[in-house]
Amino acid sequence: MIVVDKIDDVRKIVKKQKSQGMSIGLVPTMGYLHEGHLSLVKKAKENSDFVCASIFVNPIQFGPNEDYDKYPRDVKRDVKLLEENGCDLVFIPSVEEMYPNERLTTVSVSKITNKLCGAYRPGHFVGVCTVVTKLFNIFTPDIAVFGQKDAQQVAVIKKMVDDLNIPVKIIKAPIVREKDGLALSSRNIYLDADERKAALVLSKSLKEAKIMLEKGEKNASLIINIVKEVLKQEPLCEIQYVSCVHPDTLEDLTTIDDRALIALACYIGKTRLIDNLLWGEDI
Ligand code: AMP
């Protein structure tokens, strides 16, 4: 596996691969990798010839009171995991490499970024869209893989790619969970033993929603209520939001006709966790 930290080196290598007829797959990450990230690498391998990952804790997608400084990092371990999982190139730029001078240009997707997580993390999606656009311009990938764990991110990136005619196919990968149901997240490391137990309530609440949907429930408010009821049973859990929306437009649903996204964010102690259930769609 090739490890690079300079944009020019990525461009040279990608150009060479493309000249040999190879298609390029990209998996953007912030590192501290787990099986969720590695499932994206696997999916990229299934859908492209030369698989690239990036590891960059992107400062501009963190709010002033968020966890940029303490975000977990272990690049040595990440490189080993990527290599073992058949990644061909990893790009690990410095902040200066990605943002060398005063930034006057950002990429902003309106409307669908004002709800769900976007409503509570102002500026977050401008940061995400800006860095992902930069990565798309650096790698010019044929495909890029994003996890359904960050459901709003997938919807926003898809819209951005569509609106701006960026020639890349966005592929979604399903949420990878621990055996007990907790969605894998680099931030799970923040949880102490009691909080780790309490965090199970997120997936438990979505399981209840799934049971209701399987029984034929179509009323979105009832689904939201059952999820909230389950979450409220856990004293360490503080709900930020529970929403039932269309998976692409993120418009609130009143009736669930076919596809729906039940998305939630909660604090478990000081740690903000997200989870979701995608209904009516196989990925
Ligand atoms: P992050 O490093 O948290 O920015 O995540 C990088 C990519 O991995 C994003 O596309 C995430 O949606 C995806 N990802 C994170 N956790 C999971 C998970 N548990 N299952 C599947 N994909 C995930």
Side-chain angles (χ1 to χ4, degrees):
M1 183 176 70
I2 309 166
V3 183
V4 287
D5 59 3
K6 294 285 181 285
I7 293 168
D8 278 350
D9 290 337
V10 174
R11 288 197 197 281
K12 276 185 207 141
I13 294 162
V14 164
K15 194 172 172 190
K16 188 168 167 220
Q17 293 298 326
K18 284 194 168 186
S19 74
Q20 293 170 358
M22 306 287 254
S23 62
I24 308 294
L26 176 63
V27 178
T29 83
M30 296 205 298
Y32 210 69
L33 303 181
H34 51 63
E35 287 297 326
H37 297 109
L38 299 175
S39 76
L40 271 51
V41 171
K42 188 163 175 251
K43 198 141 200 124
K45 277 178 82 67
E46 289 162 8
N47 288 278
S48 64
D49 303 317
F50 189 76
V51 174
C52 308
S54 60
I55 298 176
F56 182 59
V57 185
N58 176 33
I60 70 165
Q61 72 184 65
F62 287 78
N65 300 317
E66 293 185 352
D67 56 344
Y68 175 71
D69 286 332
K70 70 165 189 164
Y71 195 83
R73 293 159 167 92
D74 190 344
V75 169
K76 219 170 140 186
R77 183 174 156 273
D78 290 347
V79 168
K80 188 166 172 276
L81 283 173
L82 288 170
E83 181 141 42
E84 285 168 3
N85 283 272
C87 184
D88 297 301
L89 178 151
V90 60
F91 175 49
I92 314 174
S94 64
V95 173
E96 294 70 33
E97 180 72 4
M98 288 299 275
Y99 302 115
N101 38 43
E102 191 189 8
R103 248 173 329 102
L104 301 180
T105 310
T106 50
V107 181
S108 154
V109 175
S110 61
K111 201 169 157 187
I112 61 170
T113 55
N114 296 332
K115 39 192 64 169
L116 307 180
C117 291
Y120 299 92
R121 302 187 70 187
H124 171 67
F125 285 109
V126 172
V128 169
C129 289
T130 302
V131 80
V132 170
T133 301
K134 284 167 73 77
L135 290 170
F136 285 169
N137 285 332
I138 293 164
F139 282 89
T140 61
D142 297 275
I143 62 125
V145 187
F146 291 86
Q148 180 59 28
K149 163 84 185 340
D150 297 86
Q152 185 172 18
Q153 177 169 276
V154 178
V156 170
I157 302 270
K158 277 192 159 189
K159 190 76 184 107
M160 175 184 88
V161 160
D162 198 31
D163 285 351
L164 298 180
N165 309 99
I166 303 178
V168 58
K169 182 178 173 200
I170 304 301
I171 296 177
K172 283 201 281 194
I175 301 177
V176 177
R177 298 177 179 279
E178 301 277 9
K179 278 202 181 73
D180 61 7
L182 180 68
L184 295 185
S185 164
S186 307
R187 289 186 168 102
N188 291 348
I189 189 85
Y190 298 148
L191 303 169
D192 68 23
D194 288 340
E195 291 168 344
R196 172 65 183 78
K197 267 187 220 146
L200 273 184
V201 76
L202 275 71
S203 55
K204 198 174 147 205
S205 72
L206 293 169
K207 265 187 212 150
E208 290 301 320
K210 193 167 181 213
I211 291 170
M212 283 181 79
L213 287 160
E214 281 167 351
K215 281 186 185 156
E217 183 57 63
K218 298 205 175 305
N219 184 321
S221 309
L222 286 180
I223 300 282
I224 291 171
N225 285 344
I226 186 85
V227 172
K228 284 185 175 166
E229 283 312 311
V230 177
L231 293 171
K232 280 177 192 163
Q233 283 164 23
E234 172 50 62
L236 291 179
C237 176
E238 190 194 317
I239 300 172
Q240 188 172 64
Y241 71 79
V242 178
S243 298
C244 179
V245 299
H246 187 279
D248 301 328
T249 63
L250 306 186
E251 294 285 353
D252 284 314
L253 296 177
T254 44
T255 308
I256 299 166
D257 291 325
D258 42 22
R259 297 165 66 218
L261 173 73
I262 294 96
L264 58 85
C266 295
Y267 278 93
I268 301 289
K270 286 196 169 69
T271 305
R272 184 179 179 277
L273 297 178
I274 57 171
D275 202 347
N276 68 80
L277 166 68
L278 184 62
W279 174 253
E281 188 178 335
D282 283 332
I283 53 163

